């Protein structure tokens, strides 16, 4: 089976938001699809390691913020490369709250959902949910998973590494300095996690890491890493 075939499915990118006893949590997701229009039903699939998933299981509701092409790349790293278990991700971005759920301010649509059922798989939990409110915020091009795997990922990794190094919190209004893109000409091959985009940069050569070593960001094993130009 060639899993590259699945990258040709067209997905958007979304911030999945939930409430954790008054604290807001969230995750970057692409596995979202509308599956019925009467009533309006969507499915969302969460990795079983996701803390946002655990909160949705308890509260049975979540928000979706639809990302647009001009989103600050840091937003994707902030919600996709670290867990709400340890970080208050929403503190790092410009957001608003409606009905106890968080939404990214610079989004193109805000959608509120109530969970009807869940289906559990080995790797993921799929929520089937009814859309109970939706607002089309602005008319702009949605960011796709293909954009992410193509031109956008380098920007996301750079802004997230900068945040990790300097502890600088960025909001969407503070977009990264564009001149950095000049540096992308000097390409270098690194082992990259195909699930979350983490770039391995340790002193021990990647090949020599023990077989039970896992990605420090998303927890998948070594087989999910690929040697890529970064
Ligand atoms: C481009 C991209 C797409 C992702 N898509 C999903 C997804 O569809 N479902 C999911 O649960 N996690 C997805 N993830 C991984 C989560 O965003 C990531 O594991 C996050 O750290 C979970 O945070 P949480 O523990 O706060 O829920 C994706 C990550 C990236 C970088």
């Amino acid at each position: 089976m060639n899993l590259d075939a699945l990258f040709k499915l067209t997905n958007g990118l979304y911030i999945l938001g939930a409430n954790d006893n008054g604290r807001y949590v969230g995750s970057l997701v692409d596995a979202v699809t509308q599956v019925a229009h009467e009533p309006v039903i969507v499915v969302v699939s969460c990795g079983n390691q996701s803390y946002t998933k655990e909160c949705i299981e308890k509260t049975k509701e979540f928000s979706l913020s639809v990302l647009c092409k001009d989103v600050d790349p840091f937003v994707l790293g902030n919600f996709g490369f670290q867990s709400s278990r340890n970080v208050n991700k929403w503190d790092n971005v410009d957001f608003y709250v409606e009905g106890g759920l968080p939404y990214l301010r610079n989004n193109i649509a805000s959608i509120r959902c109530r969970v009807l059922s869940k289906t559990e798989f080995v790797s993921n939990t799929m929520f089937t949910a009814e859309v109970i409110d939706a607002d089309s915020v602005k008319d702009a091009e949605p960011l796709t998973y293909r954009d992410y795997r193509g031109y956008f990922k380098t920007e996301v990794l750079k802004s997230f590494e900068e945040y990790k190094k300097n502890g600088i919190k960025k909001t969407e209004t503070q977009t990264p300095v564009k001149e950095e893109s000049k540096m992308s000409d000097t390409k270098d091959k690194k082992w990259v996690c195909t699930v979350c985009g983490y770039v391995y940069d340790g002193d021990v050569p990647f090949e020599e890491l023990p077989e039970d070593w896992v990605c420090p960001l998303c927890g998948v094993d070594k087989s999910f890493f690929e040697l890529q130009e970064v």
Side-chain angles (χ1 to χ4, degrees), residues 82-155:
Q82 55 188 352
S83 178
S84 313
R85 264 191 194 86
N86 330 304
V87 182
N88 287 325
K89 300 180 190 182
W90 289 96
D91 287 352
N92 298 344
V93 299
D94 192 8
F95 75 107
Y96 67 95
V97 174
E98 218 168 273
L101 289 172
Y103 298 87
L104 198 68
R105 200 170 289 282
N106 181 23
N107 71 2
I108 54 175
S110 302
I111 300 170
R112 181 188 184 89
C113 301
R114 185 181 299 131
V115 175
L116 300 175
S117 65
K118 68 171 180 176
T119 311
E120 292 180 358
F121 303 103
V122 174
S123 58
N124 287 61
T125 296
M126 184 181 77
F127 295 108
T128 302
E130 181 168 359
V131 172
I132 52 174
D133 202 4
D135 187 18
S136 179
V137 178
K138 64 176 177 181
D139 189 19
E141 276 284 301
L143 185 72
T144 65
Y145 189 57
R146 189 179 172 84
D147 295 330
Y148 173 77
R149 286 185 55 86
Y151 70 94
F152 210 57
K153 194 166 161 181
T154 316
E155 299 273 337

Side-chain angles (χ1 to χ4, degrees), residues 26-28 30-31 45-47 49-52 80 82-84 89 148:
S27 167
L28 175 66
D30 63 286
S45 178
C46 292
Q49 83 292 347
S50 159
Y51 187 71
T52 308
Q82 55 188 352
S83 178
S84 313
K89 300 180 190 182
Y148 173 77

Side-chain angles (χ1 to χ4, degrees), residues 45-103:
S45 178
C46 292
N48 285 334
Q49 83 292 347
S50 159
Y51 187 71
T52 308
K53 178 220 104 173
E54 285 180 29
C55 299
I56 295 171
E57 282 176 322
K58 287 183 199 142
T59 60
K60 298 199 168 25
E61 52 179 12
F62 59 83
S63 61
L64 287 168
S65 300
V66 182
L67 299 184
C68 53
K69 287 207 196 301
D70 73 357
V71 65
D72 183 335
F74 172 69
V75 170
L76 278 75
N78 181 50
F79 284 98
F81 295 172
Q82 55 188 352
S83 178
S84 313
R85 264 191 194 86
N86 330 304
V87 182
N88 287 325
K89 300 180 190 182
W90 289 96
D91 287 352
N92 298 344
V93 299
D94 192 8
F95 75 107
Y96 67 95
V97 174
E98 218 168 273
L101 289 172
Y103 298 87

Side-chain angles (χ1 to χ4, degrees), residues 118-205:
K118 68 171 180 176
T119 311
E120 292 180 358
F121 303 103
V122 174
S123 58
N124 287 61
T125 296
M126 184 181 77
F127 295 108
T128 302
E130 181 168 359
V131 172
I132 52 174
D133 202 4
D135 187 18
S136 179
V137 178
K138 64 176 177 181
D139 189 19
E141 276 284 301
L143 185 72
T144 65
Y145 189 57
R146 189 179 172 84
D147 295 330
Y148 173 77
R149 286 185 55 86
Y151 70 94
F152 210 57
K153 194 166 161 181
T154 316
E155 299 273 337
V156 174
L157 291 169
K158 268 186 203 155
S159 64
F160 190 69
E161 275 166 18
E162 195 181 312
Y163 155 77
K164 282 302 223 189
K165 230 181 271 162
N166 305 331
I168 298 167
K169 292 177 183 176
K170 289 183 182 166
T171 66
E172 325 175 69
T173 43
Q174 297 165 283
T175 42
V177 184
K178 283 289 171 207
E179 67 201 26
E180 280 185 19
S181 61
K182 282 188 223 145
M183 290 161 65
S184 61
D185 293 344
T186 50
K187 284 188 177 154
D188 192 15
K189 281 207 158 184
K190 296 243 168 90
W191 285 95
V192 177
C193 177
T194 55
V195 176
C196 71
Y198 171 77
V199 181
Y200 177 72
D201 204 15
D203 294 335
V204 178

